[in-house]
């Protein structure tokens, strides 16, 4: 859908449509969806070659598909998304199976993964701060072992509490 393509573009993602349809049909669909770059009349093995070529250009390539024809490209991509209503072969080849048969789910999955990665970085920072402060103080004898144990427990509590904030994440519309 046009809205899903706009969300992906707003996230800094270049969208390329690969289809086995003829050029005229592909051009009409690409125009309606707001996709600037497309390749038509692409065979299943050629889809995988296009994905490999994009990867060879130094790009991180994500692929979304739902059919047997998409499976080779899904397997070749850095990250791949199969639509929940797609074929078993596509779901097996993909890294992520989306439960909704909606292209907006791809944007949601990418947003959730970026949010999760940000939480992981924050948690590493919290653990690093506790350890950078606590270990030297404990090694030099300035920190009571009971207080050091409590600080380590607080480190775990802060990491878990911060991680629980992911429950607030909601798909954007």
């Amino acid at each position: 859908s046009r809205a899903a393509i706009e969300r992906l573009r707003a996230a800094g993602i270049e969208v390329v449509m690969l289809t086995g349809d003829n050029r005229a049909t592909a051009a009409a669909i690409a125009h309606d969806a707001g996709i600037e770059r497309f390749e038509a009349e692409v065979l299943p093995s050629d889809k995988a070659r296009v994905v490999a070529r994009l990867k060879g250009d130094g790009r991180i390539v994500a692929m979304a598909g739902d059919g047997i024809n998409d499976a080779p490209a899904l397997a070749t991509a850095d990250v791949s998304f199969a639509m929940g209503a797609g074929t078993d072969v596509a779901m097996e080849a993909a890294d992520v199976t989306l439960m909704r048969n909606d292209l907006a789910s791809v944007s949601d999955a990418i947003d959730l993964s970026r949010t999760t990665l940000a939480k992981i970085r924050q948690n590493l920072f919290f653990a690093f701060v506790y350890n950078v402060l606590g270990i030297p103080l404990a090694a030099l004898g300035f920190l009571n072992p009971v207080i050091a144990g409590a600080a380590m427990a607080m480190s775990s509590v802060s990491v878990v509490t911060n991680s629980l904030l992911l429950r607030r994440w909601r798909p954007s519309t």
Side-chain angles (χ1 to χ4, degrees):
S1 74
R2 180 175 282 277
I5 300 303
E6 288 173 1
R7 283 181 57 201
L8 289 168
R9 202 174 291 123
I13 298 168
E14 178 187 2
V15 178
V16 179
M17 182 176 79
L18 303 176
T19 181
D21 293 335
N22 67 54
R23 182 156 300 284
T25 302
I29 292 169
H31 179 266
D32 288 347
I35 299 172
E36 297 170 4
R37 183 174 169 196
F38 68 92
E39 294 192 31
E41 301 173 1
V42 182
L43 298 174
S45 60
D46 292 335
K47 286 182 183 181
R49 278 194 271 281
V50 171
V51 169
R53 186 182 74 228
L54 291 169
K55 286 175 66 173
D57 292 342
R59 298 176 184 203
I60 297 174
V61 178
M63 169 76 182
D66 63 355
I68 293 171
N69 295 340
D70 297 321
L74 290 168
T76 304
D78 292 307
V79 63
S80 53
F81 302 92
M83 299 299 173
T87 64
D88 290 341
V89 174
M91 286 188 258
E92 187 65 32
D95 298 310
V96 177
T97 298
L98 303 169
M99 300 310 293
R100 294 179 299 172
N101 202 31
D102 179 9
L103 195 55
S105 298
V106 172
S107 180
D108 293 340
I110 291 169
D111 184 44
L112 178 58
S113 69
R114 288 177 174 174
T115 302
T116 301
L117 191 57
K119 283 293 172 200
I120 290 169
R121 288 183 179 126
Q122 291 169 2
N123 289 340
L124 286 171
F125 174 76
F126 286 143
F128 184 73
V129 166
Y130 275 104
N131 286 310
V132 163
L133 294 175
I135 290 173
L137 291 174
L140 295 172
F142 294 125
L143 190 60
N144 183 315
V146 173
I147 294 174
M152 287 307 294
M154 284 305 299
S155 171
S156 297
V157 168
S158 68
V159 165
V160 170
T161 302
N162 190 44
S163 296
L164 287 173
L165 292 175
L166 277 172
R167 293 178 63 183
R168 293 182 178 177
W169 180 88
R170 297 287 177 262
S172 58
T173 54

